[in-house]
């Protein structure tokens, strides 16, 4: 059995990545792939319960980071790894790059702490491809304010999201093969053509 591939979508709140999740899944299905679409935090019954707490309950930054990884551990062992082993492709709305961007960039937790949790929970497992939807802070802010009721993250100040974006872009510079930056201001048709090109490259 050829294992499936793991694709993640990332970007600051307001970058519009959710719009592209279904496009990615449908494009892969048209190529005859089996696909599951999932999200973080979430993806399992326990993970979805943790998501509710993470998005709506006040907590300190370390608690937030540990709960993100608790949800991720369940997600990996119960959903992601078994699906990949069956040959199913997994498309996830966010994964560990978001912990670096939000909990390190946004909240100021040392990157080494996140790396230690990543090594423990993932043991070297990383996505095959990460699509980073990038927009300037003012565009993301306008899109966020047009959205439905804001959660705990979406209520953060513009400076928080500038730091989140900087960490995402730094990571893309450090891992240019895995993390591909897409200009999320482009027309949807142009963006989708770019995404399809990257997916073709996965083989
Ligand atoms: P998001 O993916 O933006 O969902 P929606 O489109 O429904 O708002 O919401 C998840 C939030 O969780 C987002 O603000 C980023 C945050 N997050 C972290 O801070 N760290 C993480 O490791 C993950 C996976 C998400």
């Amino acid at each position: 059995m050829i294992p499936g591939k793991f694709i993640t979508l990332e970007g600051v709140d307001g970058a519009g990545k959710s719009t592209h999740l279904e496009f990615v899944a449908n494009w892969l299905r048209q190529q005859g792939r089996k696909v599951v679409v999932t999200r973080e935090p979430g993806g399992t019954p326990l993970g979805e319960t943790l998501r509710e707490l993470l998005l709506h309950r006040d907590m300190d930054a370390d608690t937030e980071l540990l709960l993100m990884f608790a949800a991720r551990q369940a997600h990996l062992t119960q959903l992601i790894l078994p699906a990949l082993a069956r040959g199913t492709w997994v498309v996830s709305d966010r994964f560990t790059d978001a912990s670096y961007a939000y909990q390190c960039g946004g909240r100021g937790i040392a990157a080494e702490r996140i790396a230690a949790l990543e090594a423990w929970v993932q043991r070297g497992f990383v996505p095959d491809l990460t699509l980073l939807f990038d927009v300037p802070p003012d565009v993301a802010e306008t899109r966020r304010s047009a959205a439905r009721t804001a959660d705990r993250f979406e209520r953060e100040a513009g400076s928080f999201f500038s730091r989140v974006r900087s960490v995402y872009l730094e990571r893309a510079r450090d891992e240019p093969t895995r993390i591909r930056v897409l200009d999320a201001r482009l027309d949807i048709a142009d963006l989708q053509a770019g995404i399809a090109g990257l997916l073709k490259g996965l083989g």
Side-chain angles (χ1 to χ4, degrees):
M1 170 68 69
I2 302 169
K5 302 228 185 230
F6 183 43
I7 300 168
T8 61
L9 278 66
E10 299 282 357
V12 298
D13 293 87
K17 75 187 155 41
S18 308
T19 318
H20 305 293
L21 199 67
E22 281 309 311
F23 174 79
V24 170
N26 288 334
W27 191 92
L28 292 170
R29 288 187 185 112
Q30 279 162 15
Q31 313 296 304
R33 311 278 185 204
K34 283 205 179 118
V35 180
V36 297
V37 176
T38 186
R39 66 176 180 180
E40 287 213 349
T44 65
L46 175 67
E48 290 295 324
T49 302
L50 293 173
R51 180 186 179 90
E52 272 308 300
L53 300 175
L54 280 160
L55 266 47
H56 302 294
R57 279 282 185 94
D58 281 340
M59 63 184 76
D60 68 33
D62 287 338
T63 308
E64 183 180 282
L65 174 65
L66 291 165
L67 289 181
M68 289 290 178
F69 270 94
R72 183 161 299 136
Q73 156 69 21
H75 195 202
L76 266 171
T77 56
Q78 290 169 30
L79 189 150
I80 299 172
L81 296 175
L84 295 175
R86 294 195 299 275
T88 298
W89 289 43
V90 178
V91 183
S92 185
D93 190 345
R94 300 192 186 282
F95 194 62
T96 306
D97 294 302
S99 298
Y100 285 96
Y102 283 79
Q103 278 67 52
C104 171
R107 304 280 191 226
I109 295 180
E112 298 74 56
R113 297 232 158 133
I114 299 168
L117 291 168
E118 181 183 18
W120 179 11
V121 167
Q122 293 168 226
R123 296 173 204 173
F125 174 81
V126 290
D128 294 290
L129 174 68
T130 296
L131 303 175
L132 173 56
F133 293 90
D134 183 58
V135 280
D138 53 319
V139 178
E141 195 156 354
T142 309
R143 291 187 187 171
R144 276 197 303 279
S145 53
R148 71 261 175 289
T149 337
D151 63 38
R152 217 162 57 76
F153 294 97
E154 290 159 344
R155 287 199 297 271
E156 289 292 337
S159 55
F160 177 91
F161 291 103
S162 297
R163 297 195 301 275
V164 169
R165 181 191 189 207
S166 302
V167 171
Y168 270 136
L169 292 174
E170 260 166 46
R171 291 180 67 72
R173 276 193 295 275
D174 290 348
E175 289 186 69
T177 310
R178 174 176 69 87
I179 307 179
R180 308 304 296 258
V181 183
L182 293 149
D183 182 347
R185 287 171 305 182
L186 292 177
D187 283 355
I188 190 124
D190 291 338
L191 263 171
Q192 290 182 343
I195 295 168
L198 293 171
L199 294 175
K200 269 185 206 137
L202 277 178

